[in-house]
Amino acid sequence: MGAPLFTVLDVEKTYRVGTTPGSSWFSAGQPRLLKALNGVRLEIAEGDSIALVGESGSGKSTLVRLMLGLEPATDGRLLYRQVDIGQFDRAARQTFRREVAFIYQDARGSMNPRMRIRAILAEPLRLYRLCPEPEIERRVLSLLEKVGLSADLADRYPSELSGGQVRRVAVARALAAEPKTIVADESVAGLDVSVQAQLLNLLRGLCREMGLTLIFITHDLGVASYLCTRIAVLYLGRIVEEGATADILHRPMHPYTQGLMRAFPSFGRPLTASLKGEIPSPIDLPAGCRFASRCPQAVPFCLTSDPVLKHPEDPDPNGARRVACHFPIRDILER
Ligand SMILES: Nc1ncnc2c1ncn2[C@@H]1O[C@H](COP(=O)(O)OP(=O)(O)OP(=O)(O)O)[C@@H](O)[C@H]1O
Ligand SMILES: [Mg+2]
């Protein structure tokens, strides 16, 4: 395992979302608080490839926004190379921006619509003075080539590209800064399977070739397992299971992970709605286990006692598994 890169220590993120209506004049107007992240603890080492997996609203994007220093945490600490992200001085912030590239969930929206692709790719090269001015054109074209796009796209605007092409430009722009880490938020979601496969192969190849650390957000376990050696499963603002990809897929120990895997389409097996019930509101979190309302094996104890994320008693051979469940599943999943 490489040196620690990101350390997330008991991070909380609470948003104020309006005020309560209230039944009388003195109970009205209390702030309503939404817990987007509720005690997240995670360590990412240099060279890791980790997928953050979970249903919509589980807090994946919020977690990376905090890790990138785009928003402050309400509580807890986030460290990059052992230094608190909130306490960076100017030089440290600049190094961080250069070393950690972010591919936004909305790739098209993250680009200036009035800039041509050439200018979009040249911007980080100039900003970080990565090459002399006469060399910029050549570097831009080589970035386009690297992501499998033809040179004539350089003259177009983002609105003149297809969804898959825009995502490739977003990858090229991330690579332009010669980062050490790529953080990608749903970078292949919504693309047709062949374009998705091309992009995944591209990212996987780049990470292996350049030894990049990859933090990849997805709600698709298949995508996660293809790209990443580790998976962290989020549910309602908390990591409920984390471990090596092969171990998690072979033997999910949290009922939520198992439900996610069963919900994942596979040939030769009928698709069932394995995750039943409603996700509780992050504004009004239950007192016990947050998954209890949907858990097929919940017992009364689960409704009152909140399980912590810890190594299960019966650990995986490499000992890296953590599960937040009072009764982790011991069976091996037959798929
Ligand atoms: N700025 C904000 N103000 C209020 N609530 C927010 C804000 N940003 C996120 N949330 C809420 O926090 C929770 C987590 O949101 P987040 O965007 O992190 O989820 P996600 O896992 O990335 O979902 P998706 O898969 O849909 O992108 C959601 O309930 C969301 O509504
Ligand atoms: Mg998101």
Side-chain angles (χ1 to χ4, degrees), residues 15 17 34 36 55-62 65 105 186 282:
Y15 291 109
V17 282
L34 181 151
E55 285 170 292
S56 186
S58 55
K60 307 179 295 291
S61 296
T62 306
R65 280 201 305 275
Q105 189 159 5
E186 296 282 12

Side-chain angles (χ1 to χ4, degrees), residues 1-9 41-45 48 50 82 230 239 242 322:
M1 201 158 138
L5 198 62
F6 281 97
T7 312
V8 179
L9 293 169
R41 202 167 245 269
L42 183 67
E43 177 99 37
I44 299 173
D48 264 357
I50 182 165
Q82 324 266 37
R230 270 172 77 207
I239 294 173
E242 193 223 324
R322 295 188 304 158

Side-chain angles (χ1 to χ4, degrees), residues 168-194:
R168 280 164 191 264
V169 172
V171 174
R173 182 177 57 176
L175 292 173
E178 295 173 8
K180 295 198 161 61
T181 299
I182 288 191
V183 183
D185 193 348
E186 296 282 12
S187 295
V188 296
L191 296 176
D192 71 59
V193 261
S194 67

